[in-house]
């Protein structure tokens, strides 16, 4: 009798537990499905960013720069200058500045490029004492590679001038096309920037959402402007200091090194390191001894260390606080997706994302005037 009662009492418990187990299983499958959908969407977005890189990079750069100089267009409009006229004027001024910089640097770059074989010979002479060690390392690596390599007949490589010309044209033509797309995108974005913001805000639902959208737009523009404008002045100062230092040390073409230092300093960490290596090679090639040749690189490293550790954090850090690890991850991600152009755009994109997140998750949000 007791056994029958236990069986009778156990069956309802088992029957009651079955729906709960089924519900847990269904919930687990739903979560797994959501995770799979999110992962698939992320992969699809990443592939789209890589495939559409030639189009997206100039457009994104135009939107970032347009967001920075957009307030200047509004200020010109308040003084009676039509928005299209102000947009054309600023874009033409920017294009003229880029063209002037390219013309100024074309001659020294051509000179250093033409000295390629000579520079290679000079570097061999400077590092002649290291050649035995390098030969030993090279022979060791070659012996390891030869163990798993089947002997192949030597191949004759002939480089024709027509092939070199085709390669040069294949490299220059996309750059020109992307620059034209950048200029056109910047011009039309500046001309229609206010209308774009108005339509995006009007597409929002309640009034609080519209106010939040306006706050996000304003915060992104303010942070981008604070960073890019301040960084531009700092980089120009760094370029001028680099030019004077290289001139004082006797390194040829000081304007070239100053311009390169200014441009490369837009890339945190990597840019100054690359510029230091360039100055080290140029100094070693120019001066008679290795120690003397390393002086320009050492001087630039001192200047950029003072700028990066003291000046930039003191000025930029008050308005835009950037986590070094977040900057590194952003640079790694966008360089992987968009190459060198992504490296230049990584910090502005990170600043825009941080402004969006801060506005979306802020606990206390200031109310805009109605």
């Amino acid at each position: 009798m007791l056994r029958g009662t236990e069986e009778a009492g156990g069956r309802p418990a088992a029957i009651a537990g079955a729906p709960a187990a089924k519900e847990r299983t269904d919930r687990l499958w739903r979560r797994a499905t959501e995770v799979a959908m999110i992962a698939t969407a992320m992969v699809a977005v990443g592939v789209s960013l890589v495939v559409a890189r030639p189009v997206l990079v100039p457009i994104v750069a135009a939107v970032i720069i347009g967001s920075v100089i957009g307030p200047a267009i509004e200020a010109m409009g308040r003084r009676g200058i039509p928005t299209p006229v102000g947009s054309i004027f600023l874009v033409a001024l920017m294009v003229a500045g880029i063209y002037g910089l390219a013309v100024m640097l074309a001659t020294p770059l051509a000179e250093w490029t033409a000295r390629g074989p000579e520079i290679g010979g000079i570097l061999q002479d400077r590092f002649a004492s290291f050649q035995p060690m390098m030969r030993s390392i090279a022979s060791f690596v070659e012996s390891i590679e030869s163990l798993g390599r089947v002997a192949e007949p030597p191949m004759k490589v002939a480089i024709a001038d027509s092939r070199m010309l085709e390669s040069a044209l294949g490299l220059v033509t996309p750059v020109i096309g992307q620059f034209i797309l950048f200029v056109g995108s910047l011009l039309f974005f500046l001309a229609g920037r206010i209308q774009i913001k108005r339509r995006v805000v009007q597409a929002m639902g309640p009034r609080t959402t519209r106010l939040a959208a306006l706050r996000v737009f304003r915060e992104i523009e303010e942070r981008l402007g604070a960073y890019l404008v301040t960084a531009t002045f700092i980089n120009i100062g760094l370029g001028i200091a680099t030019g004077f230092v290289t001139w004082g040390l006797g390194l040829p073409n000081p304007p070239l090194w100053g311009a390169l230092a200014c441009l490369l300093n837009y890339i945190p960490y990597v840019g100054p390191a690359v510029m230091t290596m360039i100055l080290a090679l140029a100094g070693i090639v120019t001066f008679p001894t290795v120690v003397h040749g390393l002086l320009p690189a050492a001087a630039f490293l001192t200047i950029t260390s003072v700028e990066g550790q003291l000046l930039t954090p003191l000025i930029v850090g008050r308005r835009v606080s950037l986590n070094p690890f977040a900057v590194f991850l952003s640079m790694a991600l966008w360089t992987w997706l968009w190459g060198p152009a992504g490296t230049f755009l990584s910090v502005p994109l990170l600043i825009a994302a941080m402004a969006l997140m801060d506005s979306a998750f802020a606990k206390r949000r200031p109310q805009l005037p109605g």
Side-chain angles (χ1 to χ4, degrees):
M1 185 67 180
L2 180 59
R3 182 178 180 182
T5 303
E6 290 177 355
E7 293 179 356
R11 288 174 184 173
I15 295 173
K22 185 177 184 300
E23 183 179 356
R24 287 195 298 269
T25 304
D26 293 342
R27 188 183 304 113
L28 180 61
W29 278 108
R30 284 196 300 269
R31 290 180 179 177
T33 303
E34 293 174 357
V35 172
M37 292 178 63
I38 293 174
T40 304
M42 292 177 63
V43 171
V45 170
V47 172
S48 301
L49 289 174
V50 173
V51 173
R53 174 175 56 187
V55 176
L56 288 179
V57 168
I59 293 176
V60 171
V63 171
I64 291 175
I65 296 178
S67 299
V68 174
I69 64 178
I73 300 293
E74 295 180 2
M76 295 171 68
R78 288 192 293 268
R79 296 189 176 185
I81 301 176
T83 299
V85 175
S87 302
I88 294 174
F89 172 75
L90 288 183
V91 172
L93 188 63
M94 181 181 300
V95 171
I98 295 174
Y99 177 76
L101 181 63
V103 170
M104 182 183 69
L105 300 180
T107 301
L109 280 175
E111 292 177 357
W112 282 94
T113 304
R115 294 180 58 191
E118 178 189 354
I119 290 174
I122 294 175
L123 290 177
Q124 288 183 358
D125 294 337
R126 294 288 188 272
F127 295 99
S129 59
F130 297 96
Q131 287 184 4
M133 182 180 64
M134 299 301 295
R135 290 195 192 99
S136 301
I137 296 175
S139 61
F140 177 73
V141 174
E142 181 68 22
S143 62
I144 293 177
E145 291 179 351
S146 63
L147 294 176
R149 185 174 58 202
V150 179
E152 297 179 357
M155 299 177 61
K156 295 182 179 180
V157 180
I159 301 176
D161 293 340
S162 60
R163 296 287 182 86
M164 296 177 63
L165 181 60
E166 291 176 1
S167 301
L169 290 176
L171 178 64
V172 172
T173 302
V175 174
I176 295 176
Q178 291 182 10
F179 181 74
I180 294 174
L181 179 59
F182 164 75
V183 173
S185 301
L186 179 60
L187 180 61
F188 289 109
F189 176 77
L190 289 174
R193 171 175 161 273
I194 298 177
Q195 289 78 6
I196 293 173
K197 290 174 60 176
R198 183 180 297 117
R199 291 186 179 182
V200 171
V201 172
Q202 289 176 350
M204 303 295 177
R207 183 174 181 272
T208 55
T209 306
R210 296 180 181 179
L211 292 176
L214 287 174
R215 182 169 52 250
V216 169
F217 278 124
R218 185 181 65 181
E219 188 69 18
I220 290 176
E221 290 179 352
E222 288 181 354
R223 292 195 184 188
L224 284 176
Y227 172 76
L228 289 178
V229 173
T230 307
T232 298
F233 281 105
I234 292 176
N235 294 346
I236 291 174
L238 177 66
I240 294 174
T242 303
F244 275 111
V245 167
T246 53
W247 171 77
L249 292 175
L251 193 65
N253 309 119
L256 174 63
W257 313 125
L260 286 178
C262 176
L263 294 176
L264 290 176
N265 204 52
Y266 281 102
I267 307 177
Y269 313 126
V270 177
V274 172
M275 189 63 204
T276 303
M277 295 176 60
I278 292 174
L279 287 176
L281 291 176
I284 292 173
V285 169
T286 302
F287 300 115
T289 62
V290 175
V291 176
H292 190 187
L294 293 177
L295 288 180
F300 173 77
L301 187 60
T302 303
I303 296 173
T304 191
S305 298
V306 173
E307 175 268 326
Q309 300 299 325
L310 297 177
L311 186 60
T312 298
L314 181 63
I315 299 177
V316 180
R318 294 179 178 178
R319 187 65 185 89
V320 181
S321 179
L322 296 177
N323 187 288
F325 184 62
V327 172
F328 175 78
L329 291 181
S330 179
M331 289 177 57
L333 174 64
W334 291 108
T335 303
W336 175 56
L337 292 174
W338 286 350
T343 309
F344 275 97
L345 297 175
S346 59
V347 176
L349 289 173
L350 175 64
I351 292 174
M354 290 177 58
L356 179 61
M357 293 181 62
D358 290 345
S359 300
F361 298 104
K363 296 181 179 180
R364 296 181 180 179
R365 300 180 177 180
Q367 296 293 329
L368 295 176

